[in-house]
């Protein structure tokens, strides 16, 4: 009954969060921003969870595991479907180098200094502490491009600039997923080789399901049937991954990417149809992530300022480096690092996946730090982006030539 | 059809591979999402195959569920199928909501009395036949053999009241699938719905008598309160739901299928926990909307048709996967005897008591009354929980009967509609 009440509350909150009054930034700026990014649900989950109001118990959360797996699978499939091999091939090398530079800098700035405290406070084997620190770094390396997208859509930022920032943040996702692979290889099994085998199993499963889904979709014209096949496919890949205790997120990405590769013309339609379920499933996922937070871990609160500060420095330095590398190829704004402060939902997906597959106090602490960090970064991100807009209006666009296949 | 068969086989192979891969892992994770995805996809393509060979899609959903479920090939773990109970409640609610929108006041005025009279006759004759047979089989049935005569009489009445029940879920799903329209279809649908109301009342009375015969004392006031709450409480809650839906449809006007799915989910879960009948709650809501605002009733009908296919395919495939084939083996002979007796009783009473002005009712109506599904499952489980001494054995017997009825019922229902000449399309969009 509690689970039912919570689901109903989420449904009501979804309606509220999609209300134009709430989303109007002129009336409640902070609320509108949190509602638009979905992080309002994160706070809602944390408040209702077993560590705060206890409207949801740990048993309830265990019963909601299938929904968590489904949400992760859906997120993975959507990421995979957005991977366009043709576009990725056309991107110049400087763009990849810039993405790697800013994501890598933030990664190193967070992972290296925080590995020490994790290693010494938890008393765990070095491999596990390194994997956990790497995951902290990976989540720090991720940024959300939604402010840039909102900026150019509202006309407050030049379109090419907005797209350039959004492109860089999209490429971050690959870095984050790569580190998740490493963290799972080190933490999800008794030895790294076995861990790597499990990651390979998740990817293989995703590819098989993607190919199967493409075959099942072939020749289906009825919209209802197509929708049923797509939903069944997403449930199958995430369910199989959850059943085999491998990463539903990675399996979903492999499934979506395979579908994008072999699905020919049906892919666009599939992406459009699944897109209708993307936001509800994302909001549910974010709510469940919030409910898993351990708000009473003092060490996590102690780590949080360090995590936020180091990430900020990493982003500012990484942004400057990226601008130096790709300044002639992309129309990047000045103070790029400030535009990258906001953290994407993928950071939450990474840490909740890690928590599910490598349960324990260490992964819980990493999870708590990253979730709280994502919330704070979202609130700070808006102000930081305003700085970027101000500096952009002060300084005229550099007018750099557009690279072939560039973001615009 | 070949393409659908090939896709279905491929799906089964993938499921087998996942099952094989699981053997390498020491402990499995949650299997509910896997069960949902696999049953939805398998159900969808099995429905197409069934349609290709002239069977109802629903039979395809059920059969593939049985095949890949835990009691046959075992590709889907039992825990996964059990975790889909929520989906089953949701589907029953949605189906009942659609059925309710068909219950126009004009229809009730036109055929209400005749349907109620025939329903009482069919249920009465079937009840007496099953009751008599069970009591006669007392020495042979392990759960009845050790009981005293009054106890055996009360338990026979209890089991007979459940065995009488029909399946509005199957009937409505088949009507949707075939887009059947006409007086015969209306009569059949009204009869299965009213039949289930009678069964609910009969069951509550029989359960009270059984409790009394086992020393619990006959609490007449409690009995009346129980029946009254289930019937009138459900109608009142259904009325509240109807008002909520109408307000939403007039004020919000967006994402109606999603809203209906959410509301039906809430009514199914909430209703079951408040000891209301989820079927009756949704039925009352649908009927009230259709009679208050016909246009909104039509909108609900179309919205559920759009969202219905995945839910129906998953519901019936999960029902198939939950059918305990081993139960059919252990109590098979007794169950088959009762199945045959029930069919004969329904056939005989329809031939004898159906209205004379429509010859189709006398000839074909009985075929539409053979199915059993959700309500019967629910009552069998209730017996098991309420009477732990003999209830689980009764549940096995009833589930064995449901298994047989689920496999032949949908085929017969479609045949009844076909022969009545009221089928308009074999492939309605979004149909079950």
């Amino acid at each position: 009954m509690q689970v039912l009440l919570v689901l109903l509350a989420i449904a009501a909150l979804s309606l509220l969060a999609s209300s134009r009054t709430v989303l109007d930034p002129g009336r409640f700026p902070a609320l509108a921003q949190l509602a638009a990014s979905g992080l309002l649900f994160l706070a809602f989950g944390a408040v209702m969870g077993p560590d705060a109001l206890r409207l949801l118990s740990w048993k309830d959360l265990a019963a909601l595991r299938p929904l968590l797996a489904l949400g992760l699978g859906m997120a993975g499939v959507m990421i995979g479907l957005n991977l366009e091999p043709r576009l990725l091939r056309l991107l110049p090398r400087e763009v990849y180098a810039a993405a790697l530079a800013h994501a890598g800098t933030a990664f190193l700035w967070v992972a290296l200094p925080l590995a020490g405290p994790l290693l010494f406070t938890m008393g765990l084997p070095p491999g596990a502490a390194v994997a956990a620190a790497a995951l902290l770094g990976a989540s720090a390396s991720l940024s959300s491009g939604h402010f840039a997208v909102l900026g150019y859509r509202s006309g407050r930022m030049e379109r090419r600039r907005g797209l350039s920032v959004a492109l860089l943040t999209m490429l971050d996702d690959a870095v984050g997923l790569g580190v998740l692979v490493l963290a799972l290889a080190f933490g999800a099994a008794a030895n790294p080789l076995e861990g790597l085998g499990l990651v390979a199993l998740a990817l293989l499963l995703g590819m098989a399901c993607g190919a199967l889904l493409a075959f099942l979709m072939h020749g289906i014209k009825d919209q209802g049937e197509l929708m049923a096949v797509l939903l069944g496919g997403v449930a199958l890949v995430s369910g199989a991954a959850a059943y085999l205790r491998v990463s539903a997120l990675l399996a979903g990405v492999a499934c979506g990417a395979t579908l994008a590769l072999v699905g020919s013309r049906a892919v666009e339609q599939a992406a459009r149809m699944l897109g209708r379920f993307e936001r509800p499933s994302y909001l549910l996922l974010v709510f469940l992530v919030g409910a898993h937070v351990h708000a009473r871990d003092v060490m996590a609160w102690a780590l949080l300022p360090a995590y936020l500060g180091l990430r900020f420095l990493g982003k500012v330095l990484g942004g400057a480096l990226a601008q130096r590398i790709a300044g002639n190829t992309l129309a990047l704004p000045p103070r790029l690092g400030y535009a990258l402060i906001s953290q994407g939902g993928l950071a939450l997906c990474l840490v909740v996946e890690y928590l599910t597959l490598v349960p324990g106090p260490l992964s819980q602490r990493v999870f708590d730090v990253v979730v709280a960090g994502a919330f704070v970064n979202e609130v700070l991100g808006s102000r930081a982006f305003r700085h970027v807009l101000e500096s952009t209006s002060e300084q005229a666009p550099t007018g750099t030539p557009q690279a072939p296949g560039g973001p615009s | 059809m070949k393409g659908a068969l090939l896709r279905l086989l491929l799906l089964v192979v993938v499921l087998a591979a996942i099952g094989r891969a699981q053997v390498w892992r020491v402990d499995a994770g949650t299997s509910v999402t896997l069960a949902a995805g696999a049953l939805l996809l398998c159900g969808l393509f099995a429905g197409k195959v069934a349609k290709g060979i002239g069977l109802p899609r629903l039979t395809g959903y059920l059969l593939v569920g049985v095949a890949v479920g835990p009691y046959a090939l075992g590709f889907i773990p039992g825990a996964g199928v059990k975790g889909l109970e929520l989906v089953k409640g949701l589907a029953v609610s949605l189906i009942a909501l659609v059925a309710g929108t068909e219950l126009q006041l004009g229809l009730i005025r036109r055929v209400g009395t005749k349907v109620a009279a025939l329903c009482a006759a069919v249920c009465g004759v079937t009840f007496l036949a099953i009751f008599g047979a069970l009591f006669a089989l007392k020495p042979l049935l392990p759960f009845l053999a050790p009981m005293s005569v009054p106890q055996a009489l009360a338990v026979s009445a209890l089991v007979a009241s459940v065995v009488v029940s029909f399946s509005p879920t199957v009937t409505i799903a088949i009507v949707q699938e075939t887009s059947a329209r006409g007086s015969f279809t209306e009569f059949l649908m009204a009869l299965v719905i009213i039949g289930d109301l009678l069964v609910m009342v009969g069951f509550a009375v029989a359960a009270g008598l059984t409790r009394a015969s086992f020393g619990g004392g006959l609490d007449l006031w409690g009995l009346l309160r129980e029946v009254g709450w289930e019937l009138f409480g459900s109608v009142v809650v259904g009325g509240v739901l109807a008002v909520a839906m109408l307000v939403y449809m007039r004020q919000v006007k967006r994402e109606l299928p999603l809203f209906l799915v959410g509301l039906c989910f809430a009514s199914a879960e909430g209703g079951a926990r408040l000891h209301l009948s989820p079927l009756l709650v949704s039925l009352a809501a649908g009927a009230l909307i259709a009679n208050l605002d016909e246009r909104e009733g039509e909108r609900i009908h179309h919205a559920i048709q759009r969202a219905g296919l995945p839910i129906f395919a998953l519901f019936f495939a999960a029902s198939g996967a939950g059918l305990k084939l081993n139960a059919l083996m252990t109590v098979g002979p007794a169950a088959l005897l009762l199945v045959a007796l029930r069919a004969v009783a329904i056939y005989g009473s329809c031939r004898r008591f159906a209205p004379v002005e429509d010859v189709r009712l006398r000839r074909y109506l009985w075929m539409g009354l053979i199915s059993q599904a959700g309500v019967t499952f629910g009552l069998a489980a209730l017996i098991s929980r309420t009477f732990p001494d003999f209830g689980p054995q009764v549940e096995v017997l009833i589930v064995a009967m449901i298994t047989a009825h689920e496999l032949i019922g949908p085929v017969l229902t479609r045949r009844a509609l076909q022969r009545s000449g009221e089928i308009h399309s074999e492939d309605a969009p979004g149909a079950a």
Side-chain angles (χ1 to χ4, degrees):
Chain A
M1 194 68 173
Q2 264 174 327
V3 175
L4 173 70
L5 282 175
V6 168
L7 288 176
L8 282 175
I10 294 173
L13 203 68
S14 308
L15 278 176
L16 192 72
S18 59
S19 142
R20 284 184 186 168
T21 318
V22 174
L23 286 174
D24 181 6
R27 292 191 183 187
F28 318 102
L31 195 66
Q33 183 192 324
L34 286 172
S37 65
L39 292 191
L40 193 64
F41 285 73
L42 189 78
F44 185 57
V47 169
M48 290 189 83
D51 225 32
L53 290 180
R54 294 181 191 174
L55 287 172
L56 274 176
S57 63
W58 290 110
K59 206 176 148 195
D60 291 331
L61 289 184
L64 288 167
R65 275 280 156 84
L67 284 179
L68 192 66
L70 194 65
L72 286 170
M74 176 69 104
V77 171
M78 291 309 293
I79 292 171
L81 275 174
N82 286 328
L83 292 175
E84 285 189 45
R86 193 182 57 84
L87 183 70
L88 292 175
R89 268 200 304 272
L90 285 172
L91 284 178
R93 211 174 294 165
E94 290 90 347
V95 176
Y96 287 107
L100 198 63
H102 94 80
T105 309
F107 172 78
L108 291 174
W109 269 85
V110 171
L112 289 180
L114 293 186
L118 285 174
L119 189 62
F120 295 119
T121 56
M122 303 293 289
L124 289 166
V130 167
L135 207 72
L136 272 179
S139 58
S141 73
L142 295 169
S143 302
S144 169
H146 72 271
F147 282 121
V149 175
L150 288 175
Y152 79 73
R153 278 191 186 159
S154 63
R156 289 184 300 157
M157 188 178 216
E158 197 203 349
R159 183 180 156 80
R160 275 177 59 204
R161 279 203 160 133
L163 282 171
S164 296
V165 176
L167 178 68
L168 277 190
T169 58
M170 275 167 65
L171 291 175
D172 289 351
D173 295 356
V175 177
L177 288 169
V179 179
L180 177 68
V181 167
L182 283 179
L184 290 178
F186 277 98
N191 60 67
L193 205 64
E194 198 188 330
L196 216 56
L198 291 178
V199 171
L201 178 62
L203 295 175
L204 260 175
L205 181 74
M207 286 192 281
C209 287
L212 176 71
L213 199 51
F215 180 61
L216 295 180
M217 281 166 60
H218 186 71
I220 291 184
K221 290 187 179 68
D222 181 75
Q223 297 287 305
E225 280 187 6
L226 192 59
M227 176 69 80
V229 169
L230 282 169
L231 288 179
V234 172
L236 183 72
V237 67
S238 32
Y243 184 49
L244 298 175
R245 286 199 304 108
V246 295
S247 169
L249 182 67
L250 291 176
V253 172
C255 174
T258 309
L259 187 59
L261 205 64
V262 300
S264 63
R265 277 179 299 174
V267 175
E268 207 177 303
Q269 199 182 6
R272 225 180 14 251
M273 278 196 154
L274 278 181
R276 283 161 57 183
F277 292 91
E278 190 184 5
R279 188 158 167 87
S281 75
Y282 171 70
L283 295 180
L284 187 61
L285 177 70
V286 170
F287 169 81
L288 290 175
V289 168
H292 279 83
V293 167
H294 263 186
R296 295 172 195 183
D297 182 4
V298 180
M299 192 60 198
W301 287 110
L303 278 175
L304 183 64
Y307 171 79
L308 289 170
L310 290 168
R311 182 177 182 271
F312 179 75
L313 285 176
K315 281 288 165 190
V316 171
L317 285 175
L321 203 58
Q323 204 170 29
R324 188 173 291 181
I325 294 170
N328 292 326
T329 314
L330 295 171
L332 294 169
R335 294 186 193 172
L336 173 63
Y338 283 76
L340 303 171
I341 294 301
S342 167
Q343 235 170 331
L346 187 62
L348 301 176
C349 293
L350 290 188
V351 285
V352 78
E353 187 73 287
Y354 186 62
L355 182 70
T356 317
L357 295 174
V358 193
L362 183 64
S363 53
Q364 182 68 52
R365 186 162 293 168
V366 168
F367 174 84
D368 294 337
V369 171
V370 171
V371 170
F375 193 83
V376 176
N377 281 327
E378 184 61 33
V379 178
L380 294 177
S382 161
R383 293 181 181 193
F385 200 77
R386 227 175 290 150
H387 279 289
V388 180
L389 292 176
E390 282 163 11
S391 60
T392 312
S393 60
E394 283 165 15
Q395 189 187 334
T398 48
T400 48
Q402 180 62 37
S408 61
Chain B
M1 209 273 276
K2 271 184 193 165
L5 188 61
L6 183 65
R7 284 166 171 80
L8 181 61
L9 289 176
L10 200 60
L11 268 168
V12 173
V13 170
V14 169
L15 272 181
I18 291 168
R20 176 67 61 186
Q22 200 282 321
V23 177
W24 298 332
R25 304 287 276 143
V26 180
D27 54 331
T30 171
S31 53
V32 180
T33 325
L34 172 70
L39 287 172
L40 171 53
L41 289 174
C42 288
L44 196 71
F45 289 101
K48 281 171 170 267
V49 173
K51 187 174 166 280
I53 54 174
L55 290 170
R57 284 181 188 232
L58 200 149
T59 306
Y61 303 156
L62 284 165
L63 285 177
V64 83
V66 171
V68 298
Y71 301 103
L73 294 173
F75 293 157
I76 296 173
V81 176
K82 213 173 169 201
L84 292 174
E85 287 299 324
L86 286 180
V87 181
K88 288 189 186 176
L90 169 66
V92 169
S93 266
L94 280 174
I95 291 170
L97 191 65
V98 176
T101 59
E102 308 265 356
L103 288 180
Q104 300 279 353
L105 212 58
L107 169 73
I108 297 168
R109 276 201 209 105
R110 217 167 46 243
V111 294
T113 321
K114 284 178 193 166
V115 169
L118 180 60
C119 188
V122 173
C123 289
V125 169
T126 313
F127 174 83
L128 288 175
I130 301 290
F131 172 72
L134 278 169
F135 191 68
L137 287 172
K138 178 179 178 288
L140 300 174
L141 288 171
F143 62 90
L144 279 180
M147 291 179 190
S148 65
V149 171
Q151 284 174 342
L153 282 170
V155 172
S156 300
L158 182 72
V159 179
S161 71
V162 178
V163 170
V164 165
S165 64
F166 310 123
S167 175
T169 333
V170 170
T171 310
I172 295 159
I174 295 282
V175 167
Q176 277 218 25
E177 177 181 330
T178 55
S179 294
R181 286 278 176 280
S183 56
F184 180 86
T185 309
E186 282 174 354
F187 204 95
L188 174 63
M189 278 179 48
L191 200 141
V192 290
I193 290 165
I194 294 174
D196 264 8
L197 299 184
L198 271 183
V199 165
M200 281 175 211
V201 178
F203 178 81
V205 173
L209 290 174
T210 307
R211 262 196 297 270
S213 73
F214 279 87
L218 188 59
D219 178 10
L220 264 178
W221 172 238
L223 200 65
L224 283 174
R225 213 172 37 195
E226 211 173 288
V227 176
W229 170 244
E230 187 160 353
L231 292 181
F232 298 107
S234 300
V235 173
V236 170
V237 173
V240 174
L241 274 188
V243 173
M245 281 185 216
L246 280 175
V247 169
Y248 182 90
M249 283 190 286
R250 286 175 185 173
Q251 303 294 324
V252 184
K253 297 178 185 170
R254 282 188 308 166
E255 300 292 351
L256 184 60
L258 208 61
F259 174 77
L260 289 177
V261 167
L263 203 69
C264 284
F265 174 72
S267 96
E269 272 302 285
R273 282 166 205 275
L274 294 170
H275 300 291
L276 297 171
S277 158
L279 187 95
L280 200 51
V281 169
S282 296
L283 201 68
L288 204 64
I289 290 174
N291 287 291
L292 287 177
D293 190 333
E294 200 174 331
R295 204 172 58 89
E296 299 296 7
E298 282 290 311
R299 270 184 75 200
I300 287 184
H301 199 100
H302 292 306
I304 293 179
Q305 268 203 336
R306 275 213 302 276
L309 178 65
I311 292 165
F312 290 165
L314 182 53
F315 168 70
F316 287 109
S319 297
L323 291 179
K324 293 170 184 156
L325 292 184
N326 51 356
L328 198 60
M329 301 300 167
T330 52
V331 289
L336 287 179
L337 179 70
L338 292 175
V339 166
L341 199 62
R342 178 176 176 269
V344 170
I346 291 174
Y347 172 78
S349 49
C350 283
R351 294 288 286 195
R352 174 76 184 78
F353 300 110
V356 281
E357 61 266 25
D358 189 344
V359 73
R360 297 174 305 170
L361 293 174
R362 293 214 154 184
R363 280 189 187 161
Y364 313 125
L365 192 68
W366 70 274
M367 288 193 260
L369 303 177
I370 298 298
S371 290
Q372 278 187 325
V375 174
T376 324
F377 264 125
L379 295 179
L382 196 58
I383 293 181
S384 181
R385 279 201 306 274
T386 317
F387 304 100
D389 292 341
F390 62 87
Q393 293 178 65
V394 170
E395 190 185 14
V396 170
L397 178 74
I398 295 177
V399 167
M401 290 183 71
I402 296 172
T403 307
H405 286 137
E406 287 258 51
L407 298 179
I408 53 172
V411 180
L412 285 174
T413 304
R414 197 170 84 151
R415 186 162 294 176
L417 295 173
Q418 246 167 0
R419 293 197 176 167
S420 72
E422 292 187 352
I423 287 184
H424 292 123
S425 154
E426 293 282 326
D427 199 16

